[in-house]
Amino acid sequence: MTDPFAFLADLLVVRLLGLDMAQSLGGALHFFIEDTAKIFTLLALIVFVIGLFRSMMSPERVRKLIGGRRRIVAYPAAVGLGAVTPFCSCSSIPLFIGFLEAGIPLGVTMAFLIASPMINEIAVVILATSIGLQFAVIYVVTGLSVGLIGGLLIDGMKLERYVEDYVWKIRMGESALPDHPESWAERAAYAWGEVKSILKRLWLYVFIGIGIGAFLHGYVPQEFFTQYASVGNPFAVPLAVLIGIPLYGSATSVIPVAEALLAKGVPVGTVLALMMSIAALSLPEIIMLKQVIKTKLIAIFVGILAVAFIIVGYGFNFIFS
Amino acid sequence: MKDIKVLGGCCGNCDTVMKMFEAQAKALGVEIALEKVTDMAAILGYGVMKTPGVVIDGKLAHAGSVPSPSRIDAWLKE
């Protein structure tokens, strides 16, 4: 093993504490230390690098880029931009209103809202390093497709009447932000600020994710998963999706859980379904969206995504078995 | 007297900005009327989609991040 994070965990757990990695405590602790070191290092690094270029990717700018385009351009653009622009759920409301106000179709807006929390550069890099490039690619491609299809379905059903009336009445001001010169020093200061604010927001969820992953890794026997979560159990996928819907976790914090589940032999499709449902849908986000859309549209939104994730789960379980 | 509005939803960053203004205005001896704007329609009215935003004397000065202390100083001294 040349991985510095695994090396660090080896050093601490095996050499220093003298624990056996084949045993529960040693295995769990090793998993915990390796993932904590890895995820936090990568998280800080990526957020900083992206932060240097962030000013090019403000939501105001995305809105301008998508606004007024034909659907054939707007959909891929919305999903793609959703993937590269991270927003906390606090930003989903201003985004939602701002997009609609710019004349961006409801479906395109929803496509953006679906793709944005599910896929981001941080999750992709951490997925590729801890689980593997292939899985990362599958995750991204499926996530983008779900966003696209979800948006198109909502568009096709003409659900605009389920958007709260006041939303249509809001008029957005032209943001007349003075273009202040951006030196690299300013960019670095901004990027550092981003690192601090994102870590502050995420650290607890990441720790919870790693903790669950370490627990699964060390203490839950493989047989448990072969018995309940194998391809042979048709309820495993829908159950994974149902469990994931109310749970709030960023895509990043779910990775250690996915890593542990895959290592225990849980099928790829089931893990994907769980990850996506945790990342894309959550109770706090649903409550937030309730401010701008009526319950019926929320139900349709959640329903479409749940069905999509279930299809993703069965599909990949079928392909990989 | 400077009229300063901090635009913000729920991220907690907005409170950070409020505190920065309070502390730095006090240190500089500048009198300010500080107000937090949480109403979405009002925030969007300023053209801001990513909070925290800063409005000084009715004009949008900043949006999207916690501004650096030096920029706050500069606004206060304007």
Side-chain angles (χ1 to χ4, degrees), chain A residues 110 114 146-157 159 241 245 281 297-311:
Chain A
M110 288 308 226
I114 297 170
V146 170
L148 202 59
I149 295 166
L152 284 170
L153 280 174
I154 289 173
D155 207 10
M157 287 190 278
L159 299 167
V241 173
I245 288 176
L281 288 169
L297 181 50
I298 293 194
I300 294 171
F301 176 67
V302 174
I304 288 178
L305 284 185
V307 172
F309 297 147
I310 290 173
I311 295 172

Side-chain angles (χ1 to χ4, degrees), chain A residues 5 10 36 51 104 112 133 141 170 193 196 225 231 261 288 293:
Chain A
F5 304 111
D10 280 344
T36 304
I104 297 171
F112 184 90
L133 194 59
V141 173
I170 292 180
K196 279 194 292 189
F225 292 106
V231 183
L261 289 175
M288 199 86 69
I293 54 184

Side-chain angles (χ1 to χ4, degrees), chain A residues 7 34 37 56 76 79 91 95 131 143 161 164 202 207 218 230 234 256 268 296 299 304:
Chain A
F7 178 76
E34 182 184 339
M56 304 173 199
V79 176
S91 312
L95 262 171
I131 299 180
R161 62 184 182 284
E164 294 290 352
L202 286 186
F207 262 128
S230 70
V268 174
K296 190 153 181 196
I304 288 178

Side-chain angles (χ1 to χ4, degrees), chain A residues 177-178, chain B residues 1-7 17 21 30-35 46 53-62 67 71-78:
Chain A
L177 260 191
Chain B
M1 175 93 124
K2 273 189 181 303
D3 172 49
I4 295 170
K5 292 190 177 74
V6 176
L7 316 176
V17 180
F21 269 109
V30 178
E31 247 188 278
I32 55 168
L34 194 59
E35 189 194 340
Y46 286 106
V54 176
V55 174
I56 296 176
D57 291 333
K59 256 187 79 183
L60 182 69
H62 177 84
R71 293 195 65 192
I72 292 186
D73 264 359
W75 288 324
L76 291 174
K77 284 177 189 156
E78 255 170 27

Side-chain angles (χ1 to χ4, degrees), chain A residues 228-249:
Chain A
Y228 295 106
S230 70
V231 183
N233 180 356
F235 300 112
V237 171
L239 198 64
V241 173
L242 278 184
I243 293 173
I245 288 176
L247 290 183
Y248 174 73

